[in-house]
């Protein structure tokens, strides 16, 4: 049996094919779909899912549900919203990407510190409680601009509801 070695021409063809594929991937951002359309699709599908899984925490819906159950549902929905914000930041167009990431990071930091805040309240650690509350307040205030810009972007481009305010701006 005769084993035939690939010719130099075969190597050049393979190299050319690899170069074309690499160029295509680089030109499209390695398949990345960072765009307003991808952002809005993620927003719409994500919030539709959250509203279907947590219908009683919609700010426009009145509920007579047990307050403890509502609190547990709201906490779970808040975690889902944080996850959605992270997913939206991954596909966000440049004009809103930084703001979306800041909103995600702020909400995540607040939920991460919620347990410590509650622990300080229960244990009577007034200094720790005040520190946690002040930190959360400062995070919200310093990132209010990012939240407002994200809110306006979603309303203008995605046809969505206001996420961080209840009245038109």
């Amino acid at each position: 049996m005769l084993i035939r070695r690939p010719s130099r021409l075969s190597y050049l063809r393979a190299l050319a094919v690899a170069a074309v594929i690499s160029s295509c991937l680089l030109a499209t951002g390695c398949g990345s779909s960072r765009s307003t359309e991808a952002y809005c699709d993620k927003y719409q599908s994500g919030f539709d899912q959250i509203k279907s899984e947590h219908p009683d925490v919609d700010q426009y819906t009145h509920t007579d549900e047990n307050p403890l159950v509502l609190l547990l549902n709201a906490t779970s929905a808040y975690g889902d919203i944080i996850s959605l914000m992270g997913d939206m930041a991954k596909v966000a167009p440049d004009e809103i990407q930084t703001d979306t990431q800041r909103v995600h990071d702020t909400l995540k930091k607040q939920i991460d510190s919620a347990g410590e805040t509650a622990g300080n309240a229960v244990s009577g650690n007034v200094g720790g409680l005040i520190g946690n509350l002040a930190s959360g307040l400062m995070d919200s205030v310093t990132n209010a601009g990012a939240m407002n810009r994200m809110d306006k972007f979603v309303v203008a481009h995605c046809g969505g509801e206001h996420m961080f305010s209840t009245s038109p701006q």
Side-chain angles (χ1 to χ4, degrees), residues 22-166:
S22 296
S23 296
C24 289
L25 289 175
L26 289 175
T28 61
C30 298
S32 173
S33 58
R34 294 174 55 82
S35 67
T36 299
E37 183 179 353
Y39 186 82
C40 290
D41 286 347
K42 188 65 70 174
Y43 163 81
Q44 293 292 348
S45 64
F47 272 104
D48 286 349
Q49 181 177 351
I50 290 168
K51 286 180 179 182
S52 72
E53 291 175 1
H54 310 283
D56 293 328
V57 297
D58 187 335
Q59 65 181 338
Y60 303 109
T61 303
H62 175 71
T63 182
D64 294 326
E65 190 169 348
N66 177 322
L68 180 57
V69 172
L70 183 60
L71 177 64
L72 293 173
N73 283 335
T75 304
S76 179
Y78 194 74
D80 291 344
I81 290 169
I82 293 168
S83 179
L84 176 59
M85 294 297 130
D87 292 343
M88 289 170 66
K90 291 175 187 171
V91 298
D94 290 342
E95 64 190 287
I96 198 67
Q97 196 282 328
T98 301
D99 288 331
T100 305
Q101 189 64 52
R102 283 180 60 199
V103 170
H104 169 265
D105 294 348
T106 298
L107 297 177
K108 179 139 178 40
K109 184 177 177 185
Q110 289 175 347
I111 200 82
D112 288 347
S113 69
E116 184 180 346
T117 303
N120 285 330
V122 170
S123 68
N125 181 353
V126 177
L129 176 61
I130 291 172
N132 290 127
L133 294 174
S135 176
L137 178 63
M138 286 306 295
D139 285 339
S140 293
V141 170
T142 58
N143 288 294
M147 290 179 178
N148 190 35
R149 287 186 295 274
M150 186 178 165
D151 192 54
K152 287 181 179 181
F153 187 91
V154 165
V155 170
H157 298 282
C158 305
E161 300 169 352
H162 290 279
M163 297 186 301
F164 301 110
S165 67
T166 56

